[in-house]
């Protein structure tokens, strides 16, 4: 009889790593932080790799091994350690604070298509804020259709997008050393070890949240641990592969940017268009015109599609598939014939549109892009704190939570590392409120500060309303499936 049953298709750990790679780090993440710190970002990436990334991703591996039978990722971990109520709170906050980045990814797709069509950043000079928001909405709708109708779209987009972006980054680094090997000088002067050491002042620490945001997200693939053949053993392997790829991309990529850009005089729109400028400059230096620019623009479009697919699907599953149903309206727990939370996708789109409309009140596309990006450096680290509290609790009660993969066998040392990551992440999130790209004291500066406060309040507030709707449905007898 067993021979007549179809064999279950498992996801391998290298595929998990590539799917995760598109949510954790990209060439844009290097650009964002290079704009904030210049060459000093090389040192910061190295410090963050050892002081945050490796511990963080190994904690994800440990928790994924402990809760390898659960399908909700972080929400499962918090429910399993702190109970249903905290599980809902963590699931909502973690899910909703990822939505500004979902908007940012959709915006980036619009920008990538603009570069493909025009070959330059002129779109930002001609497109209105309302049209920018409309195109973003169209992209959301398109990707809900893809998730709903195209089987295996998520895995294939992850493989193609993650692999292509990693290859383009390797190419960028190789061409950098080829450029230097020909006797050419870096565009940044001086280009020394001393110039790579940042100034550790208040402004520096306000940018750390964006580094944490750039490097977190590995727990997004935790819901797929149940679709691996041996999740307890193989999921941590994916985390190690991810850490190695992250270290390579960030450190060498930042070094390469210092070669092709003058870190002391960077374009004002570097966060939005810097990746394209990087490959455009490289093509010009090697006499290859716009070849590298268009190659990257195509890669970026695919990469952003992969990110959007993973973020919409995994994030929604993480929230809806495992959160205690008593806190959710009946409509949100409904699954389609493929087991996908289709109404959850539409809720995602609705909240993203609210965020986009609020941010569209800023003066121009560059301001909108920068504010949404910097908002992630505030809200994302706050949500990541739940991961560290779960790890700390699991190690405090390690007899109750056995794990095949153990990160740091010495419990006292493991707890110390867990508390370090929690304090670092929480502090960086608080300071990131003051990470604003507008002139200090200007009307736009205070406008951004206001949005940085109002938008998170709205996102958390919606989460408080959902349990009230669910309770009303139970009282009216409409909650049963």
């Amino acid at each position: 009889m067993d021979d007549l049953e179809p064999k279950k298709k498992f996801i391998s750990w290298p595929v998990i790593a590539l799917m995760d790679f598109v949510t954790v780090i990209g060439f844009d993440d290097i650009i964002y932080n290079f704009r904030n710190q210049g060459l000093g970002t090389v040192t910061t990436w190295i410090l963050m790799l050892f002081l945050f990334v490796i511990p963080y991703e190994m904690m994800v591996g440990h928790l994924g091994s402990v809760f390898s039978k659960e399908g909700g990722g972080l929400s499962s971990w918090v429910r399993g350690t702190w109970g249903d109520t905290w599980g809902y709170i963590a699931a909502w906050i973690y899910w909703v604070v990822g939505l500004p980045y979902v908007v940012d990814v959709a915006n980036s797709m619009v920008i990538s298509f603009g570069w493909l069509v025009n070959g330059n950043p002129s779109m930002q000079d001609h497109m209105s804020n309302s049209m920018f928001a409309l195109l973003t909405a169209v992209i959301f709708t398109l990707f809900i259709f893809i998730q709903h109708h195209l089987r295996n779209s998520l895995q294939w987009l992850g493989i193609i997008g993650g692999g292509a972006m990693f290859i383009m980054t390797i190419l960028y680094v190789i061409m950098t050393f080829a450029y230097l090997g020909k006797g050419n000088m870096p565009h940044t002067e001086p280009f020394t070890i001393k110039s790579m050491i940042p100034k550790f002042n208040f402004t520096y620490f306000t940018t750390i949240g964006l580094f944490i945001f750039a490097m977190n997200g590995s727990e997004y693939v935790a819901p797929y641990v149940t679709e691996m053949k041996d999740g307890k053993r193989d999921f941590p392997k994916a985390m190690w592969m991810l850490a190695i790829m992250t270290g390579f991309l960030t450190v060498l990529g930042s070094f390469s940017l210092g070669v092709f850009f003058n870190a002391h005089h960077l374009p004002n729109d570097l966060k939005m268009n810097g990746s394209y400028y990087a490959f455009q400059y490289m093509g010009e230096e090697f006499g290859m015109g716009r070849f590298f620019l268009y190659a990257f623009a195509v890669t970026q479009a695919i990469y952003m599609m992969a990110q959007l697919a993973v973020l919409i699907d995994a994030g929604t599953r993480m929230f809806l598939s495992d959160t205690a149903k008593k806190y959710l309206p009946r409509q949100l727990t409904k699954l389609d014939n493929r087991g996908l939370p289709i109404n959850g996708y539409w809720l995602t789109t609705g909240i993203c549109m609210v965020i986009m409309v609020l941010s569209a009140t800023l003066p121009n596309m560059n301001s909108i892009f920068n504010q949404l990006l910097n908002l992630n450096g505030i809200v994302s680290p706050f949500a990541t704190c739940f991961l560290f509290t779960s790890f700390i609790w699991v190690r405090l009660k390690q007899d109750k939570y056995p794990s095949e993969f153990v990160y740091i066998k010495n419990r006292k040392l493991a707890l110390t590392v867990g508390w370090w990551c929690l304090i670092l992440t929480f502090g960086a999130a608080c300071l990131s409120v003051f990470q604003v790209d507008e002139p200090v004291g200007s009307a736009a500066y205070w406008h951004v500060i206001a949005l940085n406060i109002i938008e998170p309040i709205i996102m958390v507030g919606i989460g408080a309303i959902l349990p009230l709707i669910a309770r009303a449905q139970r009282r009216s007898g409409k909650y049963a499936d």
Side-chain angles (χ1 to χ4, degrees), residues 141-175:
T141 305
L142 176 63
F143 269 80
I144 289 176
F145 175 84
I146 291 175
Q147 291 296 102
H148 190 51
H149 293 281
L150 298 184
R151 193 175 299 274
N152 297 324
S153 61
L154 177 62
Q155 290 185 43
W156 282 112
L157 281 171
I159 293 170
I160 296 171
M165 181 57 72
F166 194 59
I167 290 171
M168 288 301 293
T169 304
I170 292 174
L171 174 64
Y172 195 80
V173 172
I174 290 174
M175 296 300 281

Side-chain angles (χ1 to χ4, degrees), residues 367-446:
S367 295
I368 294 170
F369 188 92
N370 290 344
Q371 186 270 328
L372 285 170
L373 173 65
N374 294 334
L375 179 64
N376 288 292
I378 303 168
V379 297
S380 181
F382 274 130
T384 305
C385 289
F386 283 106
L387 187 150
F388 300 125
T389 58
S390 292
F391 177 78
I392 290 169
W393 187 256
V394 161
R395 296 313 302 268
L396 282 171
K397 306 288 184 179
Q398 59 187 24
D399 293 338
K400 183 181 176 181
Y401 301 99
S403 174
E404 186 170 311
F405 170 74
V406 178
Y407 174 57
I408 306 179
K409 294 186 177 180
N410 184 293
R411 186 170 71 166
K412 290 184 178 179
L413 180 58
L415 288 171
T416 300
V417 174
W419 277 106
W420 157 255
C421 288
L422 176 60
I423 294 169
L424 172 67
T425 304
F426 184 81
C430 294
L431 290 172
S432 292
V433 172
F434 303 99
Q435 171 59 54
V436 179
D437 289 313
E438 307 297 334
V440 176
S442 66
Y445 176 87
W446 294 112

